[in-house]
Amino acid sequence: MTQLESTGVAAPAKRSLTGSLGVTAIVFMVVAAASPLTVVGGAAPLGILIGNGVGFPSLYVISAVVLLLFSVGLATMARHVPKPGAFFTYAGYGLGRSTGLAAAWIAMLTYTTIQVSVYGYVGYILSYTVESVGGPSIAWWLFSLIVIALVGVLGYRHINLSSKVLGVLLVAEVGIVLVMVAAVMINGGPQGLSLDTFVPSNIASGSPGVGLMFAIAAFIGFEATAIFRDEAKNPNRTIPRATYAAVIGIGVFYTLASWGLVMAWGPDGIMDAAAEDPGNLILRTMSIYLGSAGEIITNILLITSMFACVLSFHNVVTRYQHSMSNAGVMPEKVGTVHHTHLSPHISSVVQTVTAAVLIVVFAIFQLDPVLQVFTWFAGVATLAIALLMALTSIAVIVYFAKTKKDRRVWQTIVAPGLGFVGLIVSAVLIIANFPVLVGDADADGNPVFGGVSWVLLALIVVFPLFGFVQAWWIRTRRPLAYAKLIDTISS
């Protein structure tokens, strides 16, 4: 990483991040991004209702297997490429500078859209909660801006503070869900406990492609373990272990939690319960099995869950921007590190302003915070991350084929290859079902590709295209800077 001169007159500005995050702290950071309670309370009921019904929990298992295969290559790459940046860096090392830069902008799109989608959702939940307890009616976007400000304050400070906040919130939300599952298992549910969710006919029922979208979306953020490399303690061991722990932990938890949700209502009753109101299914379930106290606690934790989610994604995006700045593709100042907090503070401010501006724009256009802001941009993020991980899988295979630095076939060819196939199949299913996700339909209500679908899908084309154009401009106008863009094996 090049040490660049600061604009000050004293010493060069610090540009390298440092820290001593262990496996547990990093896992907390990335699992918090997966927002467990938000997924169980929001995505799982929708996956059951408009996906494949009783068989939906099995899709978490399938997603976890695909992403675990992808993680093998990711972890192997992390051992041999001692740099943060994850997709941006790995795609550059494997497929060249231009592709690496294109990957960086896809990543920026992914994490920015998923973050702003949750800002919309948390703003709505806060507005609804305040009004439901007799408070004033306040616009959702005002609450979103307040949350953005709070996240900005924590993101500006040392990463250890964020990890501690996320750790407390994560333990609380996971704990309440596990208590619910335990209560369901003790009670037995209306139809008793069964493994109907894992029967092949139930897995293939309904619209499994739609269900897979919600399942994969639940894992977004796990791959960001490599982003924290410079702040990790013994990164060659910490990053791979954190990556595997995150995927396995997320997969097991979501499978168990969604299975418990199905058992709570019974295989024959879950669809009707979800259809009644998927948004509060988790609260109704908590009320039945844990009483009104459990329902109130869950409602509070649902809000803190979304706060933990946006805080985690904020930290991921700021570190992507930090890495891109130090590679010379974003303004130099974005890559500086605070002398006291040791955080990429300028990058944090940039991301805070970006999120605030987007929320204001959505408010001006009067977008619905859940049906449009949350759903549309979560859909964009899900497809973008699937394509980005597929690209990274190819980069891993190519990198080790060129360098011969690691000759283990499973880690460098087979696992990344299988992961690539699984991710591409998932991406195809997501694209085919994209109108369902964003609500595009014809006059009869049948899902069709319309204006919203095409505009949102275009973002996934425009962002990497910008990366390729930027790489071409740098190569043409600043050849020396291009040569140092990413110190890849070949251009």
Side-chain angles (χ1 to χ4, degrees):
M1 191 175 295
T2 304
Q3 186 78 9
L4 298 176
E5 294 296 321
S6 72
T7 56
V9 295
K14 180 176 174 58
R15 302 184 66 83
S16 298
L17 294 170
T18 59
S20 58
L21 296 176
V23 173
T24 302
I26 294 177
V27 169
F28 275 155
M29 294 289 289
V30 298
V31 174
S35 192
L37 190 54
T38 302
V39 170
V40 176
L46 290 173
I48 292 170
L49 180 63
I50 62 178
N52 58 332
V54 175
F56 175 70
S58 297
L59 297 182
Y60 286 124
V61 178
I62 294 172
S63 298
V65 170
V66 171
L67 297 179
L68 198 57
L69 289 168
F70 164 77
S71 298
V72 172
L74 188 73
T76 305
M77 198 73 163
R79 292 179 183 274
H80 294 276
V81 180
K83 293 177 179 290
F87 297 142
F88 167 40
T89 304
Y90 301 160
Y93 267 70
L95 302 175
R97 300 170 178 84
S98 297
T99 304
L101 190 50
W105 285 108
I106 299 177
M108 287 294 296
L109 173 67
T110 297
Y111 297 123
T112 299
T113 51
I114 194 65
Q115 182 184 198
V116 78
S117 73
V118 180
Y119 276 131
Y121 201 170
V122 72
Y124 165 78
I125 290 295
L126 285 169
S127 176
Y128 173 81
T129 301
V130 169
E131 191 170 354
S132 66
V133 296
S137 177
I138 301 175
W140 66 269
W141 54 270
L142 288 175
F143 283 108
S144 295
L145 292 176
I146 292 172
V147 174
I148 289 172
L150 292 174
V151 168
V153 170
L154 287 173
Y156 189 92
R157 298 177 65 83
H158 196 284
I159 189 68
N160 285 337
L161 177 60
S162 291
S163 67
K164 289 175 182 177
V165 172
L166 291 174
V168 172
L169 298 180
L170 180 62
V171 169
E173 60 181 292
V174 168
I176 192 69
V177 173
L178 292 180
V179 169
M180 180 206 75
V181 172
V184 171
M185 294 179 69
I186 293 172
N187 180 279
Q191 293 182 267
L193 305 180
S194 70
L195 297 177
D196 287 356
T197 56
F198 306 104
V199 175
S201 59
N202 286 333
I203 297 174
S205 66
S207 303
V210 176
L212 190 61
M213 287 190 294
F214 289 104
I216 292 178
F219 286 82
I220 293 179
F222 87 90
E223 73 292 338
T225 51
I227 284 291
F228 300 101
R229 181 182 181 89
D230 283 350
E231 296 157 282
K233 178 170 52 181
N234 191 0
N236 285 340
R237 296 177 59 187
T238 300
I239 298 303
R241 289 180 180 180
T243 303
Y244 294 138
V247 176
I248 295 171
I250 291 171
V252 170
F253 175 77
Y254 285 152
T255 303
L256 177 63
S258 56
W259 172 82
L261 198 59
V262 172
M263 293 300 105
W265 297 90
D268 295 337
I270 185 62
M271 289 296 287
D272 289 337
E276 181 180 337
D277 188 348
N280 66 20
L281 179 63
I282 186 66
L283 296 179
R284 285 183 281 136
T285 305
M286 291 292 186
S287 178
I288 293 172
Y289 288 90
L290 299 181
S292 58
E295 181 182 3
I296 293 172
I297 292 172
T298 302
N299 197 11
I300 294 172
L301 290 176
L302 184 59
I303 295 172
T304 61
S305 171
M306 286 184 280
F307 178 79
C309 176
V310 290
L311 174 57
S312 184
F313 278 126
H314 177 90
N315 286 327
V316 171
V317 176
T318 56
R319 280 148 184 81
Y320 251 102
Q321 292 176 164
H322 174 269
S323 295
M324 291 171 70
S325 171
N326 286 330
V329 297
M330 290 191 78
E332 177 184 339
K333 199 167 185 179
V334 175
T336 57
V337 175
H338 196 282
H339 65 282
T340 300
H341 301 307
L342 304 179
S343 63
H345 61 302
I346 301 300
S347 180
S348 178
V349 172
V350 170
Q351 180 54 211
T352 299
V353 173
T354 300
V357 169
L358 287 173
I359 289 297
V360 170
V361 170
F362 297 153
I364 291 173
F365 282 94
Q366 298 183 330
L367 297 186
D368 184 278
V370 177
L371 298 179
Q372 295 174 319
V373 175
F374 178 74
T375 305
W376 290 0
F377 293 100
V380 171
T382 304
L383 177 56
I385 199 68
L387 294 173
L388 187 55
M389 288 190 290
L391 178 68
T392 304
S393 296
I394 294 298
V396 170
I397 295 173
V398 172
Y399 174 76
F400 288 112
K402 290 191 302 183
T403 65
K404 311 297 183 185
K405 287 188 174 183
D406 195 322
R407 297 179 181 273
R408 294 175 297 175
V409 176
W410 171 254
Q411 283 84 352
T412 62
I413 299 177
V414 178
L418 292 174
F420 170 78
V421 172
L423 289 163
I424 287 298
V425 170
S426 300
V428 170
L429 290 172
I430 291 171
I431 293 173
N433 291 278
F434 206 78
V436 176
L437 191 66
V438 302
D440 266 344
D442 59 20
D444 298 322
N446 300 313
V448 295
F449 282 93
V452 175
S453 296
W454 290 123
V455 169
L456 295 177
L457 289 174
L459 293 174
I460 302 174
V461 176
V462 170
F463 269 71
L465 182 60
F466 175 80
F468 281 116
V469 171
Q470 186 182 31
W472 170 83
W473 186 89
I474 295 174
R475 183 174 63 246
T476 303
R477 303 293 183 88
R478 300 160 54 202
L480 292 179
Y482 181 78
K484 297 179 181 179
L485 180 61
I486 307 173
D487 53 347
T488 50
I489 302 305
S490 65
S491 60

